[in-house]
Amino acid sequence: MRQITIALAKGRLAEKAIEILDKCGVDCAPLKKDTRKLVLYDGEGKYRFIFVKPADVPTYIERGAADMGVVGKDTLLEESKDIYEMLDLKFGACAMCVAGFADKNNSITQNKLRVASKYVRVAKDYYASKGIDVDIIKLTGSVELGPVIGLTDVIVDIVESGKTLEANGLVVLEEICKLSARLVVNKVSLKTKKDEVLPLVNKISEIVEGR
Ligand code: PRP
């Protein structure tokens, strides 16, 4: 059996992904140890796990440095790589939204709507689809500060519990799309490592669907 490399997005999604792999019979005990190692192996050495920044997961998969991976749909939309999205893993549910002050019209101070976002491509595509010309300002985090500090009129960001918006006096103005974690696969690996990749994809699907 050929070893499969699985890229996991460090942070919120990795923990849940490991839980599912555990249920699939993958010995994930070595992954639960408190370590700063970025490459780890399951107990049987069938799988190699790499822990990468969420935004880099699609790159590792597209380039074949990893065969499979778990990443949020938000990252897939933003990175737009040539990879297979195999399964909706149904965890990490949240939504991509436009948010701002409840009375948006009062907050618009310039002709062009100013939008702060970590998701520049998503924001650009969304407003282009509506035919609205916007000024997108890329931020790498704490995006809610945009409207609060007057840098922008609105933000395009993910909303999970809504607590960050609420704590900063902002509300959801428009929902762009629903998001959740996805299982992704390298296009070549699906052919060349079919016997290793497909059974795991099927097992994960069974667990996710509760079968
Ligand atoms: C994300 C997102 C929001 C927040 C939403 O940020 O960008 O700020 O979580 O979650 P909530 O609706 O449950 O409050 P993250 O925690 O990844 O940090 P960041 O601002 O540094 O990107």
Side-chain angles (χ1 to χ4, degrees), residues 12 118 140-144 157-164:
R12 309 179 189 211
K118 288 186 275 192
T140 57
S142 303
V143 175
E144 292 81 2
D157 200 11
I158 54 172
V159 178
E160 195 174 358
S161 66
K163 284 184 184 155
T164 312

Side-chain angles (χ1 to χ4, degrees), residues 81-93:
K81 298 285 194 227
D82 191 20
I83 58 182
Y84 287 132
E85 185 182 319
M86 302 291 286
L87 295 175
D88 181 347
L89 297 173
K90 313 246 172 95
F91 64 83

Side-chain angles (χ1 to χ4, degrees), residues 3-211:
Q3 193 176 56
I4 297 292
T5 299
I6 302 179
L8 296 179
K10 276 199 281 190
R12 309 179 189 211
L13 299 184
E15 215 172 292
K16 265 276 183 192
I18 291 169
E19 223 175 85
I20 291 181
L21 286 163
D22 237 345
K23 286 184 186 160
C24 289
V26 177
D27 175 10
C28 292
L31 309 184
K32 293 175 191 159
K33 291 189 187 131
D34 188 20
T35 172
R36 293 189 68 87
K37 274 191 183 169
L38 298 171
V39 182
L40 290 166
Y41 298 85
D42 69 306
E44 296 172 80
K46 285 186 189 167
Y47 303 98
R48 176 169 68 161
F49 293 90
I50 55 171
F51 291 85
V52 306
K53 286 264 188 192
D56 294 335
V57 171
T59 305
Y60 280 90
I61 304 293
E62 186 184 51
R63 296 288 179 144
D67 301 298
M68 304 170 69
V70 174
V71 68
K73 178 71 178 174
D74 52 328
T75 305
L76 293 179
L77 291 172
E78 186 61 22
E79 297 304 318
S80 184
K81 298 285 194 227
D82 191 20
I83 58 182
Y84 287 132
E85 185 182 319
M86 302 291 286
L87 295 175
D88 181 347
L89 297 173
K90 313 246 172 95
F91 64 83
C94 52
M96 185 68 74
C97 297
V98 178
F101 289 110
D103 191 349
K104 190 171 83 173
N105 290 336
N106 282 351
S107 68
I108 299 175
T109 51
Q110 319 224 332
N111 290 340
K112 241 191 220 180
L113 187 75
R114 295 166 307 154
V115 183
S117 191
K118 288 186 275 192
Y119 302 94
V120 170
R121 183 196 294 263
V122 173
K124 210 179 272 176
D125 290 351
Y126 177 65
Y127 284 105
S129 76
K130 297 183 74 163
I132 300 174
D133 193 19
V134 292
D135 179 11
I136 297 170
I137 298 173
K138 183 173 169 71
L139 294 178
T140 57
S142 303
V143 175
E144 292 81 2
L145 267 176
V148 170
I149 230 72
L151 174 69
T152 64
D153 305 300
V154 296
I155 63 172
V156 165
D157 200 11
I158 54 172
V159 178
E160 195 174 358
S161 66
K163 284 184 184 155
T164 312
L165 288 184
E166 197 187 343
N168 292 288
L170 305 173
V171 295
V172 171
L173 299 171
E174 293 153 59
E175 184 177 297
I176 299 175
C177 62
K178 302 266 187 223
L179 306 164
S180 56
R182 305 294 156 100
L183 182 72
V184 289
V185 173
N186 169 268
K187 289 193 161 178
V188 175
S189 300
L190 193 61
K191 289 197 187 87
T192 58
K193 294 186 178 176
K194 193 173 84 206
D195 294 343
E196 289 81 14
V197 171
L198 269 187
L200 186 59
V201 171
N202 291 335
K203 192 83 192 117
I204 292 172
S205 171
E206 282 172 22
I207 300 291
V208 170
E209 299 301 330
R211 280 181 273 143

